[in-house]
Amino acid sequence: MKKKSRLKIPFLAVFILLANLSLAQEIIEIHVSPTGSDSNPGTVDKPIKTLHKVTAILGNMDSAELPKIVVWLNDGIYRISKPIVIDSTVKKSGIPLKFKAVEGSRPTISGAVELKHWTNLGDGIWVAEVPKNLGIFREFFVKGKRAVRARHPNNEYLRVKEVGADRRTNFTYHTGGFPQPKNAGEVELVVLHDWSITRIPIKNIDKNINSIIAADSIGAKGLDFFNLDQWEPNPRYFLENDIEFLDMENEWYLDSSASKIYLKLPLNLNPSQLSIEVPLAESLMLLEGSEESPISNVSFEGISFQYCRWNIPNQTYAGIQACNFDTQKGNKEWAVVPAAIRTTWGTNIRFENCEFSSLGGSGIWLGTGSRNCTIKNCRLQDISGNGVMIGEGQDRLVSGEPWWKDAPQQAALGNTVEDCDISNCGVQFYGAVGIWCGLTAETMLKNNKVYNLPYTGISIGWMWSPEVTPCRDNTIENNHIHHVMQTLSDGGGIYMLGLQPGSKLIGNHIHDISVNAGRAESNGMFLDEGTKDVLVENNLIYNIAKSPLRFHRASTNIVKDNYLFSNGKTPGIAYNNTPLENIHQEGNKEISTDQLDYKVLLKEAMSKYVRP
């Protein structure tokens, strides 16, 4: 009797046509290039053109008995208008699937389209028609760099003169504070709170009484401490998106009612000489499994992810913290700024030597049910929201109860961010953080560089009390965090809260956190409400305007063998509503800059802690 083939015929046909099988290495290889064709067989000399075609091919494979699959990406830009989705219809088993850059190349997955056909209006200002498929957008890039949406003032802030009676919807401004907008209905009001911001359309500007009225409540509705004058009597604000604010090079203004975009360039430049791009895709990569059948063993190596849009729902962003925001629909209905790349119920998903940049929402999110996933040696920069997100907050329901009560086993578990370079996040949503972790367990954040951020560097935990949650055994180790808290207040290089038994903050190097304009102070490390059972050991913290380490309503924790350099009379450790006996101290060196040997001690500490 003739022996039957172990490969089903539909897959065999696809396999012969589209893949190279190396029996010695047991690898199926598919080659892709922006100069290829989707009718090609996917060989080295005849590559496929699009990644959407690749996922279609993978979906037609019967992969139950296949070896590893490698998708090789050649150099160039892979433009997409919708995300690449890897789910159970694409990846049907746990065999390894790798998307890898060809050696010496840097392929880019881009969610942008080029904008062309500009008309010169003089004085460096150009105008173009906005294609219908672009609609309204918030990001705009010239020569790969984010252009500034026209704002007033250009760099600093205005100050509220007097808050309105309801403390939420209106305020008066100082005479001559800003040029009167040509189209007030297109203007966005941006108000800074201590640790978050609100972006909201203007309903009306009354020039007779110098009053600005917002389209809705400024600040999250269900939280009274977002009243306009809660933190500062005269909070900071600025205005964005009007032709009257278009006064600096590389600023732009979108007139959505007329479907026109205006751009101001140096007088010697012509848009036809430049690459001008607008994000179109709302996400770039989605890996979507289920609790019963997680997506597993998918990796990405040497790939750049660039340009992704996110438009604020209902045009109002009432930030709460770390890119959670109030939808303004009810007393407490929160949402989260989405990420360009997201895993849901993913196991052993890996991103290595990748870059994430020029993104309109957040960067990459290891979401619900993500386990043993790794982000290693990656660079994240120029991101509107958070850089990296791990796990989730409190709000998702299971059987009518918060997930962390009814199904704590669903927590993100054992995920790692290591050797990454994370900077310039929170470009639009200033309350963003470099790395945000919710109610996660066994998370490892190690050897990362986190810097140049408007708010906190690393934030972990999402329960403002010592109530039991799945949050435990998280480690933040040997990270270099500096020049954060540059715009907002009440955060730090590391911000932590809630019961996290077995968690550790060890060997971190944190410096250069200056005073900002908010009411609350910012610190090297801020361990907020409910922080309990945490070890803070062997950290170096200096050049902090306030206390290097602060506790607020914290429970029992251990602080051991840290170098804490403080300024003048500022204490090395601040205790806000935290009994001193809650914090067990051992071997710490609290050093004031007033000490004569301060510089010697700092040099000694840096030689011990600063790593190559």
Side-chain angles (χ1 to χ4, degrees):
M1 180 181 291
K2 187 176 181 180
K3 188 176 181 180
K4 293 183 179 179
S5 171
R6 297 176 66 185
L7 294 176
K8 294 182 180 179
I9 291 176
F11 165 66
L12 182 59
V14 173
F15 168 75
I16 292 173
L17 179 65
L18 299 168
N20 299 320
L21 175 59
S22 170
L23 294 176
Q25 298 178 346
E26 293 189 332
I27 296 175
I28 292 176
E29 298 178 313
I30 301 174
H31 294 263
V32 195
S33 171
T35 60
S37 170
D38 282 349
S39 61
N40 280 346
T43 57
V44 174
D45 55 341
K46 291 186 178 180
I48 293 165
K49 181 178 179 67
T50 70
L51 291 168
H52 288 296
K53 181 64 176 179
V54 170
T55 58
I57 291 167
L58 295 172
N60 285 326
M61 290 183 176
D62 181 359
S63 57
E65 299 182 17
L66 290 180
K68 181 168 72 173
I69 300 172
V70 179
V71 178
W72 291 100
L73 278 68
N74 284 277
D75 210 0
I77 299 175
Y78 297 80
R79 293 191 184 274
I80 60 174
S81 59
K82 58 182 181 180
I84 299 158
V85 178
I86 300 176
D87 57 16
S88 59
T89 67
V90 173
K91 192 173 189 299
K92 302 171 184 177
S93 73
I95 66 162
L97 170 62
K98 177 176 288 188
F99 293 81
K100 187 173 182 178
V102 171
E103 186 175 355
S105 68
R106 193 66 179 183
T108 298
I109 298 174
S110 169
V113 296
E114 290 190 280
L115 195 59
K116 300 180 179 179
H117 310 300
W118 293 84
T119 299
N120 190 352
L121 299 181
D123 197 28
I125 296 178
W126 299 77
V127 64
E129 297 286 339
V130 176
K132 290 183 179 180
N133 66 323
L134 285 179
I136 296 175
F137 49 89
R138 305 181 58 83
E139 297 86 30
F140 183 76
F141 297 86
V142 178
K143 294 179 63 177
K145 294 187 178 297
R146 185 185 295 254
V148 176
R149 194 159 74 148
R151 59 168 279 182
H152 185 88
N154 289 317
N155 298 307
E156 300 299 324
Y157 305 96
L158 301 170
R159 286 280 183 177
V160 168
K161 182 178 181 182
E162 186 175 354
V163 172
D166 65 8
R167 305 175 69 193
R168 279 306 187 105
T169 63
N170 65 94
F171 59 85
T172 58
Y173 59 87
H174 295 276
T175 301
F178 53 85
Q180 288 298 317
K182 287 284 179 62
N183 190 354
E186 297 270 356
V187 175
E188 186 169 274
L189 167 65
V190 185
V191 180
L192 279 64
H193 314 295
D194 254 29
W195 64 80
S196 69
I197 69 167
T198 294
R199 288 182 172 271
I200 190 168
I202 287 178
K203 182 178 180 180
N204 184 47
I205 298 177
D206 190 332
K207 293 183 286 186
N208 295 318
I209 57 173
N210 284 6
S211 174
I212 292 178
I213 302 174
D216 203 337
S217 177
I218 300 171
K221 286 184 176 179
L223 301 169
D224 289 341
F225 49 74
F226 278 104
N227 288 336
L228 274 172
D229 54 354
Q230 177 69 27
W231 295 287
E232 298 178 85
N234 308 101
R236 294 170 290 169
Y237 75 96
F238 61 91
L239 304 176
E240 221 174 60
N241 199 52
D242 190 83
I243 193 71
E244 289 296 319
F245 309 151
L246 191 67
D247 58 359
M248 284 188 65
E249 293 175 355
N250 294 315
E251 279 192 329
W252 62 281
Y253 155 62
L254 175 64
D255 184 347
S256 62
S257 60
S259 296
K260 292 184 177 181
I261 183 168
Y262 296 81
L263 171 64
K264 186 173 177 63
L265 291 173
L267 294 177
N268 62 337
L269 284 184
N270 186 308
S272 64
Q273 304 168 321
L274 309 172
S275 170
I276 296 178
E277 298 183 284
V278 177
L280 177 60
E282 295 184 354
S283 54
L284 300 180
M285 178 73 67
L286 299 175
L287 296 103
E288 300 179 331
S290 65
E291 187 172 13
E292 298 75 22
S293 181
I295 292 292
S296 63
N297 299 320
V298 183
S299 63
F300 302 84
E301 187 174 336
I303 299 169
S304 293
F305 297 86
Q306 189 176 41
Y307 301 130
C308 184
R309 74 159 62 189
W310 182 65
N311 285 335
I312 299 170
N314 303 315
Q315 298 181 285
T316 298
Y317 175 86
I320 297 166
Q321 188 172 327
C323 287
N324 285 253
F325 65 97
D326 184 5
T327 63
Q328 305 288 63
K329 293 180 180 179
N331 188 45
K332 183 186 175 184
E333 185 175 328
W334 295 2
V336 184
V337 174
I341 297 92
R342 180 169 181 174
T343 68
T344 306
W345 296 109
T347 300
N348 193 26
I349 310 299
R350 187 177 184 89
F351 294 84
E352 188 168 0
N353 298 321
C354 292
E355 182 168 349
F356 309 86
S357 63
S358 304
L359 303 174
S362 293
I364 179 170
W365 189 354
L366 305 179
T368 301
S370 296
R371 297 197 163 198
N372 302 319
C373 300
T374 300
I375 304 171
K376 183 177 175 62
N377 198 30
C378 291
R379 185 181 183 190
L380 297 97
Q381 62 170 342
D382 187 24
I383 296 172
S384 289
N386 297 323
V388 175
M389 303 173 68
I390 301 176
E392 57 188 310
Q394 305 174 18
D395 296 339
R396 182 171 61 87
L397 299 179
V398 173
S399 302
E401 292 290 328
W403 71 270
W404 52 274
K405 290 184 176 181
D406 190 81
Q409 73 280 1
Q410 295 183 354
L413 175 70
N415 299 294
T416 298
V417 182
E418 185 175 2
D419 297 323
C420 291
D421 187 299
I422 302 171
S423 67
N424 298 298
C425 304
V427 176
Q428 282 196 71
F429 310 109
Y430 301 159
V433 299
I435 305 175
W436 176 87
C437 307
L439 300 178
T440 68
E442 300 179 27
T443 300
M444 172 64 77
L445 309 178
K446 184 176 181 180
N447 294 338
N448 301 291
K449 296 178 181 178
V450 183
Y451 57 100
N452 290 350
L453 303 177
Y455 184 55
T456 288
I458 295 175
S459 177
I460 190 162
W462 203 248
M463 179 64 70
W464 284 259
S465 75
E467 186 170 359
V468 175
T469 74
C471 202
R472 61 171 177 82
D473 298 304
N474 300 304
T475 301
I476 302 177
E477 181 178 356
N478 294 349
N479 300 282
H480 186 186
I481 305 168
H482 61 94
H483 293 92
V484 300
M485 303 304 305
Q486 293 190 305
T487 304
L488 300 181
S489 306
D490 213 10
I494 296 174
Y495 175 78
M496 195 175 204
L497 69 162
L499 173 63
Q500 300 192 38
S503 294
K504 303 173 183 177
L505 310 179
I506 54 177
N508 298 286
H509 176 203
I510 303 173
H511 60 93
D512 288 284
I513 298 176
S514 59
V515 173
N516 42 50
R519 184 191 70 175
E521 69 177 65
S522 300
N523 309 92
M525 290 183 179
F526 178 19
L527 278 63
D528 204 355
E529 298 184 58
T531 302
K532 184 178 181 180
D533 294 343
V534 172
L535 172 64
V536 182
E537 183 177 15
N538 205 35
N539 301 282
L540 167 63
I541 308 176
Y542 62 93
N543 283 357
I544 313 296
K546 296 295 184 179
S547 295
L549 175 59
R550 173 163 66 114
F551 293 93
H552 175 63
R553 294 180 180 173
S555 189
T556 53
N557 301 280
I558 298 173
V559 179
K560 181 180 178 182
D561 295 332
N562 300 281
Y563 275 96
L564 306 174
F565 290 84
S566 59
N567 298 321
K569 296 180 180 180
T570 302
I573 303 177
Y575 304 87
N576 299 151
N577 300 305
T578 301
L580 270 65
E581 59 268 22
N582 280 4
I583 310 303
H584 173 76
Q585 295 191 51
E586 180 181 337
N588 297 299
K589 295 180 176 62
E590 296 185 42
I591 302 164
S592 170
T593 54
D594 291 342
Q595 292 184 212
L596 294 177
D597 58 349
Y598 157 72
K599 292 184 178 180
V600 173
L601 293 172
L602 178 58
K603 185 176 180 180
E604 172 190 316
M606 291 184 68
S607 67
K608 178 179 179 182
Y609 282 86
V610 179
R611 297 164 177 84

